[in-house]
Amino acid sequence: MDQFNPGLRNLVNLGKNYEKSAAAMILAGKLYFDAMSKIGENAAVSPVSRELGVVLMDISEVHRKVQFELEENFKRFHREIISELEKKTEMDVKYMTATFKRYQMEHKMKQDSLERSQSDLKKLRRKSQGKNANKYENKESECLETLTSRQMDMQLFIADGCKEALLEEKRRFCFLVDKHCMFSYQFASFHEKARDMLAAKLNSWQDQCNDASEMPDSITSMIEGLRTPISITPLPSPSPSRHSMNMSAPPAPPLQAQTSPLANMFTQENNTTSVTNHRNSEENNLARSVSVATGLNNIVKRPRMRTIFPHTAGNNSTLLSFDEGDIIALLIPDERDGWMYGELEKNSKRGWFPSSYCRVLSEPLTCTHHLFLLRLYRGGNPFATVRLRPTVTNDRSAPAV
C-alpha cells in the first residue's frame, strides 16, 4: 500500500490529460461539422444540389448532438471519478498516516509489555535455581501465564491488523473498479445513443447520393433550353412613331443587381455584347431617345432572353417579376450595373431585371465553356472517376455551380 496513493495521484494527473485531449477532440469535431454545415448552406442554394445541401446540414447537426453527448460523458467522468479520486487521495494520505501511527503505538505498548513479562520470567527462573526453589515456583507459574496471555494478545493484534490492512486495500481497489464500471456503463450508453442517432438518419442520407448523374426536371429543362439555338433576325426598320418616341423607361435601380447562383457557370465576359452584335449598324445610329424607348415592337425584332431563375420585384414597381423559363424581350440593349430593361412576353409587363438571371435564347457556349466541359469528361474533375457504391457515397462529381 506504500505505492497506492502515489499511484492514485498519477492516475488523477493522467485522467486530467485524458480530459484535455477529449475536450480538444470535441472542439475540433465541432469546428469540423460547423464547416460542413456552411458547405451544406452553400449547396442548399443550388437548384441541382439543394437536397444534398440539406443532407450535409442534417449530418452536421446530428454529429454536433453526438459531440454534445460525448462532452456530457466526460463531464461526468471528471465529476464522478477524477474529482472523487483527487479528494479521496488527500483524505486517505492523512488517514493512512494516522492509522499507521496508532498501530505502531499499540504494537510498541504490547511489545514492551511482552518483553517485561519475558524479563520477569527469566529473573524468577534464575532465583529458583538456588536453595529456596519451591519459594518461587508459584510466582514462576503466574509469570508464565501472564507471558502466554500477552503473547496471544500480540498475535491477535497482529492478525487483526493484517486483516484490517487487507480490507483497507480491497476497499480502495473496489472503489476504483466500481467508479470505472460506472464510467464504462456511461460510455457504453453514449455509444448506443450515438449509434441510434446515426442509424435513424443514415439510410435517408444515403438515398440522396445514390445517383450522382440525376438532376431535377427544372434543371434538365433549363439545359435543354440552352441547347436550342434561336436566331435573332432583325426586321425592316420603319421610322419610329411619335408614341414610341415619347415613351421612356423608368430610371435604373441605384444598386448593383444581385448575381444569380449560376452566373459563374454561364457568364461570358460581356453577356450583352453578343446581343448588341446582332443589331444592324443602322440601329446603332438611332437617337438615344429611340433606343431607350419602351415601344420598339414595330421597329426591330427585339433580342429575347430566357430566365434561368425566378425573380421577385417585391414592392418596387420599376422591377420585373418572372418565373424560371419565362421569355423576356429586351427594350434596352445596354446593361446598367447588372440591370436590363425588357418586357415579359406572357403578360406584357415591363421593368428592370438582373441580367445574370437570364440568358439569350441563341447564346452559344464559349470556347472557355467548351474547354471546361471537355475537361470534365476527359478526367479534369477529380470526382468524376469516383465509383459509387449502392448505398454509400460522398459525391461531388457535378460541376460546381
Side-chain angles (χ1 to χ4, degrees):
M1 296 297 292
D2 291 342
Q3 297 301 317
F4 182 78
N5 283 319
L8 282 187
R9 286 196 180 96
N10 185 49
L11 192 64
V12 168
N13 292 332
L14 293 175
K16 290 180 177 179
N17 291 336
Y18 184 25
E19 288 178 323
K20 290 179 182 177
S21 62
M25 181 191 69
I26 292 169
L27 177 59
K30 287 180 178 178
L31 296 175
Y32 177 85
F33 289 108
D34 284 344
M36 177 183 286
S37 180
K38 294 294 184 184
I39 295 175
E41 291 175 5
N42 293 335
V45 301
S46 166
V48 74
S49 302
R50 184 177 295 112
E51 291 80 6
L52 295 173
V54 173
V55 168
L56 286 174
M57 289 188 287
D58 197 23
I59 290 174
S60 175
E61 182 61 27
V62 172
H63 277 277
R64 273 199 290 260
K65 291 179 180 178
V66 172
Q67 296 293 325
F68 174 77
E69 292 295 331
L70 182 60
E71 187 176 20
E72 291 297 312
N73 205 57
F74 272 93
K75 286 181 181 178
R76 288 193 294 268
F77 171 75
H78 177 82
R79 182 175 61 251
E80 298 173 5
I81 294 182
I82 300 303
S83 294
E84 286 290 315
L85 285 178
E86 195 168 26
K87 179 174 66 176
K88 289 187 180 296
T89 300
E90 296 302 321
M91 294 173 60
D92 195 54
V93 170
K94 297 177 182 179
Y95 172 79
M96 292 287 287
T97 303
T99 301
F100 185 62
K101 287 182 178 180
R102 186 172 64 252
Y103 176 84
Q104 286 181 318
M105 290 176 61
E106 292 187 29
H107 186 275
K108 187 175 185 306
M109 290 172 58
K110 293 182 181 298
Q111 185 67 32
D112 291 344
S113 178
L114 180 61
E115 289 177 354
R116 284 196 300 270
S117 297
Q118 291 175 343
S119 177
D120 292 341
L121 181 60
K122 289 180 180 180
K123 290 178 181 180
L124 289 173
R125 285 181 174 174
R126 283 197 299 268
K127 291 180 180 179
S128 64
Q129 293 177 0
K131 297 180 179 179
N132 300 319
N134 295 332
K135 179 180 178 181
Y136 298 100
E137 185 175 353
N138 292 333
K139 290 183 179 181
E140 185 177 346
S141 299
E142 292 175 0
C143 186
L144 186 60
E145 289 178 2
T146 302
L147 177 61
T148 304
S149 175
R150 289 178 177 175
Q151 284 179 336
M152 289 295 298
D153 187 40
M154 174 63 81
Q155 291 298 117
L156 290 175
F157 174 75
I158 293 174
D160 291 342
C162 181
K163 178 182 178 181
E164 186 61 26
L166 293 175
L167 289 176
E168 288 285 350
E169 175 186 318
K170 187 173 183 179
R171 279 192 287 268
R172 282 156 177 78
F173 288 115
C174 278
F175 171 81
L176 278 178
V177 171
D178 179 65
K179 288 294 183 181
H180 286 84
C181 282
M182 181 173 61
F183 174 67
S184 300
Y185 172 78
Q186 293 171 351
F187 218 64
S189 177
F190 155 73
H191 283 292
E192 289 178 1
K193 191 171 184 178
R195 182 196 62 189
D196 293 341
M197 292 169 64
L198 294 171
K201 296 278 190 176
L202 192 54
N203 290 335
S204 63
W205 293 340
Q206 289 178 334
D207 289 341
Q208 295 296 330
C209 60
N210 284 338
D211 188 357
S213 62
E214 183 179 359
M215 290 192 296
D217 294 339
S218 59
I219 301 302
T220 304
S221 301
M222 181 268 293
I223 292 176
E224 291 300 324
L226 293 174
R227 291 175 177 171
T228 305
I230 299 178
S231 60
I232 302 175
T233 305
L235 294 177
S237 303
S239 59
S241 64
R242 178 179 299 178
H243 177 71
S244 63
M245 292 285 290
N246 293 332
M247 293 182 63
S248 60
L255 300 178
Q256 181 76 22
Q258 182 179 358
T259 303
S260 72
L262 290 180
N264 294 333
M265 181 176 178
F266 297 99
T267 300
Q268 301 179 13
E269 292 182 359
N270 188 347
N271 57 359
T272 61
T273 303
S274 62
V275 178
T276 57
N277 286 340
H278 287 287
R279 301 176 63 93
N280 295 327
S281 60
E282 295 178 357
E283 187 181 346
N284 294 329
N285 295 326
L286 291 175
R288 183 170 184 82
S289 61
V290 176
S291 67
V292 299
T294 59
L296 295 180
N297 286 328
N298 297 324
I299 298 177
V300 294
K301 185 175 179 61
R302 306 186 190 99
R304 300 164 73 226
M305 313 288 285
R306 183 191 297 275
T307 63
I308 60 173
F309 267 91
H311 179 257
T312 303
N315 297 326
N316 194 332
S317 60
T318 64
L319 301 184
L320 188 63
S321 297
F322 49 79
D323 298 322
E324 179 184 340
D326 288 345
I327 304 300
I328 302 175
L330 288 183
L331 301 180
I332 296 179
D334 299 324
E335 182 178 354
R336 301 182 184 179
D337 291 331
W339 297 97
M340 302 188 78
Y341 190 79
E343 180 180 88
L344 191 61
E345 288 191 355
K346 69 178 182 180
N347 56 17
S348 298
K349 291 185 177 180
R350 299 174 178 179
W352 294 93
F353 60 93
S355 61
S356 62
Y357 275 57
C358 56
R359 293 292 170 263
V360 179
L361 285 177
S362 60
E363 179 182 12
L365 290 175
T366 63
C367 294
T368 304
H369 296 148
H370 282 301
L371 290 175
F372 173 71
L373 294 176
L374 285 174
R375 288 174 182 171
L376 286 181
Y377 292 110
R378 293 180 180 177
N381 184 354
F383 295 100
T385 57
V386 176
R387 296 186 61 186
L388 300 180
R389 290 179 285 183
T391 57
V392 179
T393 184
N394 185 18
D395 170 61
R396 289 187 179 88
S397 61
V401 296

